[in-house]
Amino acid sequence: MTYRRAAIPALIGGLLLTALLWWAGSSADALQLPGSGGTLGTGAVAELQRWLTPWAYDPPVFLDSGAQASGYVPDTSGGDHRDHYGGLYTTGLQIRYGAVLVAFVLGALLLVRRLPPVRGRTTAAFLALWAWGAVAGTLALAVSAPWMIASMGHGSYRLLPQLANVIAGGRQLPVAVSLVAAGATVLVARITAGGAGPLPRTDVPVRAARLAATAGTAVIALSVVVLSYQRVAAALQEFSPDGGLLSEPGDLLRQWLLLGAWDGPAGGPLGDWLLYRASDVLLLAVVWWALSRLPGLLTRVTLPAMAVGAVCVTVLGLLAAQLLRIAVVQAGPQQDLLYSTAGIGNGIPAALTCGLVAGAVATTVLRLSLRGAPDPAA
């Protein structure tokens, strides 16, 4: 599929994703209405606020120059510059929405072109676009974070921990609304692909595909098994250069490198420990299975397509592991659905980092294993 044909569904999906995030963020004020707690429950209202507030377009109440509320740090000279900080907040939100649109369109453009939803690839394309929508939300949060931090009036204080905190907020909403955006993108892509001619799959030997998948999964396992081990994670947390804006990078390093967290049974029930570890096994199994099939689904195996595909695969494995953990470990009669899903979307920054590396490694191994063999069909 040409870029011209792929651009239409990618743009429509990006606009829909942005519009849904804006609509959901604009609905955050409704949770403040009298009776919302009685109707939905105080716990559900609090959880929904955590979902929606990072995408709410209205500035926080403490940035209202006429309000007396906590959260605003006044200027050292005693002046009240909340109008200025409110402008920074609005600019940050504009950058956030613009970034989510650009990030989704660029990724969807590549995915729709190399993984068109035809010839048995519809489900794979839908899942990849869903995962990429969640990644686009994370990228938007990261890009807009400096403006959001500056709008609080204390941007130079513990900058890196603040960056990690801003990026961690609002991760659940893109995961949810990306389902709709992915479905719309696939639907439009199937229409635009109608006259695109044959879109063949790449002919990749099974052994080469499995070898590449094993190499890529090893990168993910490095994060899940080694870096996520409690002692290693603690060492990352404690690492800090001396002073300056780059001090205390531990939270940010863990956010972008760790796909989980684990330790030994430590005297607890072995069965519970194994249940928690089952989610890690599921993550690695999903990554290996999907990576082994990915080269054969692409119209052409390229480094960008494999890298973005590996990111989507890692996000899907992460979400599958989190859903398993919710269903088997966290679910219970005392926990409502929203509370149980509070951890959805955790680890997406690390999935982006590790997925890009895994995709590059898998592509390299695949090309080396195919060296001397007939070129696969483009």
Side-chain angles (χ1 to χ4, degrees), residues 8 48 91 298 325 332:
I8 298 174
L48 282 173
T91 301
L298 299 174
R325 191 176 296 117

Side-chain angles (χ1 to χ4, degrees), residues 81 118 131 133 188 225 268 287 291 302 328 330 332:
H81 300 286
V118 294
V188 177
V225 178
V287 169
L291 281 180
T302 62
V328 176
Q330 295 179 353

Side-chain angles (χ1 to χ4, degrees), residues 76-127:
T76 54
S77 62
D80 191 335
H81 300 286
R82 278 184 282 188
D83 288 339
H84 171 69
Y85 290 126
L88 283 173
Y89 183 89
T90 301
T91 301
L93 258 295
Q94 292 171 347
I95 292 172
R96 180 167 295 180
Y97 282 109
V100 77
L101 173 63
V102 172
F104 183 85
V105 169
L106 292 178
L109 184 64
L110 180 61
L111 288 171
V112 171
R113 184 167 188 254
R114 295 301 182 197
L115 190 64
V118 294
R119 295 172 57 90
R121 289 176 285 209
T122 301
T123 301
F126 170 76
L127 292 175

Side-chain angles (χ1 to χ4, degrees), residues 1 3 106-107 109-116 201-204 212 291 294-311 355-367 370 376-378:
M1 183 183 290
Y3 278 116
L106 292 178
L109 184 64
L110 180 61
L111 288 171
V112 171
R113 184 167 188 254
R114 295 301 182 197
L115 190 64
R201 301 188 183 198
T202 303
D203 184 15
V204 179
L291 281 180
L294 180 61
L297 292 172
L298 299 174
T299 57
R300 183 182 178 188
V301 177
T302 62
L303 179 59
M306 285 290 292
V308 172
V311 170
L356 288 174
V357 178
V361 170
T363 306
T364 302
V365 172
L366 182 63
R367 289 178 176 176
L370 293 176

Side-chain angles (χ1 to χ4, degrees), residues 210-336:
R210 290 177 177 176
L211 184 61
T214 302
T217 306
V219 176
I220 306 301
L222 177 65
S223 174
V224 174
V225 178
V226 179
L227 296 181
S228 297
Y229 182 57
Q230 186 181 44
R231 294 183 181 179
V232 179
L236 287 174
Q237 181 69 43
E238 294 172 358
F239 170 75
S240 179
D242 294 333
L245 292 176
L246 299 181
S247 62
E248 300 182 75
D251 291 338
L252 203 62
L253 289 174
R254 293 182 57 169
Q255 185 179 63
W256 288 87
L257 294 178
L258 273 59
L259 284 166
W262 71 280
D263 197 4
L270 182 61
D272 292 346
W273 184 83
L274 290 175
L275 284 176
Y276 276 101
R277 302 288 70 76
S279 61
D280 297 332
V281 174
L282 177 62
L283 165 60
L284 296 176
V286 169
V287 169
W288 184 88
W289 179 80
L291 281 180
S292 66
R293 291 179 54 85
L294 180 61
L297 292 172
L298 299 174
T299 57
R300 183 182 178 188
V301 177
T302 62
L303 179 59
M306 285 290 292
V308 172
V311 170
C312 296
V313 163
T314 308
V315 172
L316 289 173
L318 190 67
L319 293 175
Q322 291 169 353
L323 290 175
L324 176 65
R325 191 176 296 117
I326 291 170
V328 176
V329 180
Q330 295 179 353
Q334 304 301 323
Q335 297 181 356
D336 56 28

